[in-house]
Amino acid sequence: MAIDRRREAGGGGRPLPEENGSVPGAAGGATASPPVPSPASTAGAGAEIQAVPLPPPAATCSPVLLDYDGSVLPFLGGLGGRYQRILVLLTWVPALFIGFSKFSDSFLLDQPDFWCREADGQGNWSGSLAPSHANRSGNSSIFPPPGLPTPAGGNASECDCHEWHYRIRAGLVQNVVSKWDLVCDSAWKVHIAKFSLLVGLIFGHLITGCIADWVGRRPILLFSVIFILVFGLTVALSVNVTMFSTLRFFEGFCLAGIVLSLYALRIELCPPGHRFMITMVASFIEMAGQFLMPGLAALCRDWQVLQAVIICPFLLMLLYWIVFPESLRWLMATQQFEASKELILQFMHKNRMNTESDIKGVVPELEKEIARRPKKVCIVKVVGTRNLWKNIVVLCVNSLTGYGIHHCFAKSMMGHEAKMTITQNFYADYYTMAGIALASCLAMCPVVGFLGRRGGLLLFMILTALASLLQLGLLNLIGKYSQLPDSGMSDSVKDKFSTAFSIVGMFSSHAVGSLSVFFCAEITPTVIRGGGLGLVLASAGFGRLTAPIMELHNQKGYFLHHVIFACCTLICIICILLLPESKNQNLPENIPDGEHYTRQPLLPHKKGEQPLLLTNSELKDYSGLHDSAAVSDGISENTTANGMKSM
């Protein structure tokens, strides 16, 4: 209350100096001298506090430098600059290589038909897998979850064989399964190989995301490229399945670093109006890798050659050390102004700009602040916020649910029984899954453009929940009526409904997962964007990890698995309403900016009506942030928390 009375006495909405000695800057970036502590305030603190010099107040930083989307990016020409367009193109090219790596498991670890060659030289089908069991749900929309069940042959004599013969349907003459006879009692090793890549991705996203916020996006990208070349090429030289699985873990770890750093660089290069479409173009290029993968496998014929061909294109990314700079947005958000000035001059030289175009004086302001110490933040700082951590948790749960329930719909459509399989052809199944993913991405573009991020995510989550609930409830009802003699219903009707609901569910759940990752990248502040992306991508990895877990247990508990994720979709629908809308909004640069990035009303308030959202000054006092002074002085105090003007 004492602080509020002092603020009201000052006649402004900005809080007066707190006990830490920081004061807000005057107009034009001028600073006031910190007040001398009173004897009462220093008596209990000890002499050691007086010996430590107070750091310069964070609010003294020029508002021009803190407003990247409003000042720095327009000065550099936005996406109109030639150099910026080249950098965006360089973030698109590796998406094709990433697509090859992500979908390689569908070919390297495809479960073939197998039989034992008898002594008389005749091929007898002994303990062979039904074609419907082989890799039916193993082609997810973003990353292929394993679809390798335990061999059906339960008789030990059927697996008592010294020489197996295989028929691989994935275009290869030999793959990992046929190389080391991973059938019968050794079939579980295939699941471990699947686990290793997914777990490597999860750990890679978490660790490289945190490191990227400390050392930058560019070092993570380059070191990940170097090590994926080392581990990826060594995978092709594996001498046993244990070595293969171990190296695949490290390959997934490095692949996660490449995916995360490119995603962050792509987002931070773009102005608000182009972020979504630039990201979607990268998604389409990645899906092109998915569509080209069967042809690449057919050309290579051997799994070792295929693995080498998938990894070798990453050699081109070694040139990024020369041509690709660090993220300018991250440099300025972390107050590395000396490196920022050098990079801005590089942009001006590449775009052939002159200093007269610097209307807002970005370069002179940088020269004034060039001696400021860098200020880097770890993702754990988000725990002390009031709104930001909730937004990140909601999007992580959405990502987990979207990718987790996708496997449920895939199994319902492809089926884990032969009678439920829509086709016996591997390529038809593979391209069906890829086609659904492509249709989902195409639908996301107009929906998100019209409804925004929050509205689009809500719509796709509602479709996912409806498809899941109708599949669980309506199909059971149809199954009961089909048992009646006069019902006129048959099992084929139930199968058709199941296929239809599964297609809708896969279509919408893919959009939910992809949009959750993009949404999190937008609402997470630049200083911790790597950690935020790592959390949401790791959550997506946990969702995909449920697929091999179910396959390892031979689909036991499949119905409960689907019910749990169906309940999660209902919870997510409620939580999505609490998220802010980031369409056409500037990216938050620091934690206070992200904290003030709060929910907008679904309908804008009428003219003359008091807005329900708090103003920035009110939100500072209400949220209890200790670093509220770091908010830019250029933000008007009658501006609501999400950029709307209060009346």
Side-chain angles (χ1 to χ4, degrees):
M1 296 302 294
I3 295 174
D4 293 337
R5 285 195 296 269
R6 287 192 298 167
R7 186 184 60 181
E8 294 170 359
R14 201 177 296 275
L16 290 180
E18 303 292 338
E19 284 73 11
N20 60 2
S22 62
V23 293
T31 62
S33 300
V36 179
S38 62
S41 62
T42 58
E48 57 180 354
I49 297 182
Q50 298 180 358
V52 179
L54 291 174
T60 60
C61 186
S62 172
V64 175
L65 303 181
L66 295 178
D67 187 16
Y68 187 88
D69 284 315
S71 300
V72 181
L73 196 56
F75 159 59
L76 297 176
L79 280 182
R82 176 175 173 269
Y83 190 46
Q84 289 92 309
R85 292 197 297 266
I86 293 175
L87 293 180
V88 170
L89 180 63
L90 290 176
T91 65
W92 284 344
V93 173
L96 184 66
F97 314 150
I98 294 171
F100 290 151
S101 297
K102 282 187 173 182
F103 295 95
S104 61
D105 273 2
S106 298
F107 301 87
L108 298 179
L109 296 170
D110 175 52
Q111 188 77 22
D113 294 329
F114 62 96
W115 67 97
C116 184
R117 178 74 63 178
E118 298 295 341
D120 57 0
Q122 301 296 324
N124 299 320
W125 290 86
S126 173
S128 61
L129 290 177
S132 62
H133 283 286
N135 199 26
R136 290 302 169 198
S137 64
N139 310 318
S140 77
S141 54
I142 289 293
F143 195 88
L148 305 172
T150 305
N155 191 352
S157 62
E158 295 178 349
C159 293
D160 186 12
C161 182
H162 298 287
E163 183 182 2
W164 291 104
H165 288 256
Y166 301 92
R167 185 176 64 189
I168 304 173
R169 293 174 296 275
L172 297 174
V173 175
Q174 185 186 60
N175 66 358
V176 175
V177 179
S178 61
K179 171 73 174 179
W180 294 302
D181 293 332
L182 303 181
V183 294
C184 291
D185 294 338
S186 298
W188 61 273
K189 297 179 182 179
V190 180
H191 302 282
I192 300 302
K194 291 282 187 176
F195 285 160
S196 62
L197 189 64
L198 284 173
V199 173
L201 280 165
I202 293 172
F203 279 96
H205 286 136
L206 291 174
I207 296 175
T208 59
C210 295
I211 299 176
D213 291 330
W214 280 95
V215 303
R217 286 73 164 114
R218 182 170 174 263
I220 292 296
L221 175 62
L222 296 175
F223 278 104
S224 297
V225 169
I226 292 173
F227 284 106
I228 199 174
L229 288 171
V230 173
F231 292 117
L233 293 176
T234 311
V235 166
L237 304 177
S238 300
V239 296
N240 52 48
V241 68
T242 303
M243 180 179 177
F244 176 87
S245 301
T246 304
L247 292 173
R248 288 286 278 182
F249 170 84
F250 292 105
E251 181 187 349
F253 190 99
C254 299
L255 183 63
I258 296 175
V259 172
L260 186 142
S261 55
L262 285 175
Y263 206 109
L265 286 167
R266 195 180 298 120
I267 289 287
E268 292 171 357
L269 273 171
C270 301
H274 297 83
R275 288 194 298 257
F276 182 71
M277 293 309 300
I278 294 297
T279 303
M280 291 308 300
V281 170
S283 298
F284 289 129
I285 295 175
E286 185 176 310
M287 279 187 288
Q290 180 182 3
F291 278 94
L292 294 175
M293 192 63 195
L296 192 64
L299 291 175
C300 294
R301 305 296 290 170
D302 186 81
W303 73 271
Q304 293 174 307
V305 177
L306 177 62
Q307 174 68 16
V309 170
I310 289 172
I311 297 298
C312 283
F314 286 104
L315 285 168
L316 300 175
M317 295 188 67
L318 293 176
L319 299 175
Y320 280 38
W321 181 266
I322 303 173
V323 300
F324 210 99
E326 182 56 83
S327 170
L328 178 59
R329 187 189 295 269
W330 176 78
L331 288 174
M332 300 198 69
T334 53
Q335 300 182 8
Q336 302 180 64
F337 293 131
E338 185 175 359
S340 300
K341 180 185 175 182
E342 296 177 359
L343 189 52
I344 285 179
L345 294 177
Q346 180 180 344
F347 271 85
M348 295 176 64
H349 174 71
K350 296 288 186 180
N351 293 330
R352 299 177 181 177
M353 300 170 57
N354 52 45
T355 56
E356 296 178 357
S357 61
D358 191 3
I359 301 175
K360 295 188 177 182
V362 174
V363 177
E365 292 293 340
L366 273 175
E367 293 175 350
K368 295 178 183 178
E369 306 287 347
I370 205 167
R372 184 178 291 272
R373 295 180 60 184
K375 184 180 179 181
K376 300 179 181 180
V377 185
C378 183
I379 186 63
V380 296
K381 292 288 185 181
V382 80
V383 178
T385 62
R386 183 177 181 272
N387 298 311
L388 184 57
W389 74 270
K390 298 177 185 177
N391 295 337
I392 295 177
V393 168
V394 168
L395 290 172
C396 287
V397 175
N398 275 269
S399 178
L400 172 67
T401 304
Y403 286 107
I405 202 170
H406 189 277
H407 171 70
C408 300
F409 291 121
K411 291 303 297 182
S412 297
M413 185 178 73
M414 299 301 179
H416 47 40
E417 295 179 0
K419 65 177 183 179
M420 296 180 63
T421 307
I422 60 175
T423 178
Q424 302 292 335
N425 190 287
F426 168 82
Y427 294 105
D429 288 344
Y430 183 88
Y431 282 115
T432 298
M433 309 288 281
I436 293 173
L438 178 61
S440 178
C441 288
L442 291 174
M444 283 173 60
C445 297
V447 169
V448 174
F450 181 72
L451 297 178
R453 280 61 160 153
R454 182 177 59 169
L457 183 60
L458 180 63
L459 175 62
F460 287 119
M461 184 60 79
I462 290 174
L463 288 176
T464 304
L466 287 176
S468 180
L469 294 175
L470 288 174
Q471 192 171 57
L472 290 173
L474 183 61
L475 292 184
N476 287 334
L477 184 63
I478 293 177
K480 291 180 180 179
Y481 278 101
S482 63
Q483 304 297 327
L484 300 177
D486 299 331
S487 62
M489 296 184 180
S490 61
D491 289 339
S492 62
V493 176
K494 180 180 178 181
D495 293 342
K496 291 178 181 178
F497 273 107
S498 177
T499 301
F501 291 145
S502 297
I503 292 174
V504 173
M506 293 172 63
F507 170 87
S508 56
S509 62
H510 173 267
V512 166
S514 301
L515 194 53
S516 297
V517 176
F518 174 75
F519 206 169
C520 187
E522 282 196 322
I523 69 171
T524 306
T526 301
V527 292
I528 56 171
R529 182 164 293 120
L533 268 174
L535 287 174
V536 72
L537 288 171
S539 300
F542 278 114
R544 291 189 291 262
L545 198 60
T546 59
I549 292 175
M550 294 300 301
E551 299 290 350
L552 186 61
H553 292 280
N554 202 19
Q555 300 301 324
K556 293 179 180 178
Y558 163 76
F559 182 79
L560 181 60
H561 176 214
H562 198 166
V563 169
I564 291 175
F565 278 112
C567 295
C568 289
T569 59
L570 301 179
I571 298 174
C572 289
I573 289 173
I574 300 173
C575 295
I576 289 172
L577 298 174
L578 304 176
L579 295 173
E581 177 53 64
S582 59
K583 180 183 178 182
N584 295 327
Q585 298 285 338
N586 294 344
L587 290 178
E589 304 300 338
N590 47 46
I591 290 182
D593 289 344
E595 180 69 0
H596 299 155
Y597 215 62
T598 53
R599 179 178 59 87
Q600 284 182 335
L602 292 177
L603 298 176
H605 64 274
K606 299 179 181 179
K607 187 176 182 180
E609 181 179 272
Q610 181 68 23
L612 298 179
L613 291 179
L614 297 175
T615 61
N616 280 335
S617 59
E618 294 168 337
L619 186 58
K620 291 174 191 175
D621 297 336
Y622 184 63
S623 62
L625 284 175
H626 297 291
D627 52 353
S628 60
V631 183
S632 170
D633 289 337
I635 302 177
S636 175
E637 288 302 326
N638 66 339
T639 304
T640 56
N642 210 21
M644 298 177 63
K645 295 288 184 181
S646 60
M647 304 302 298

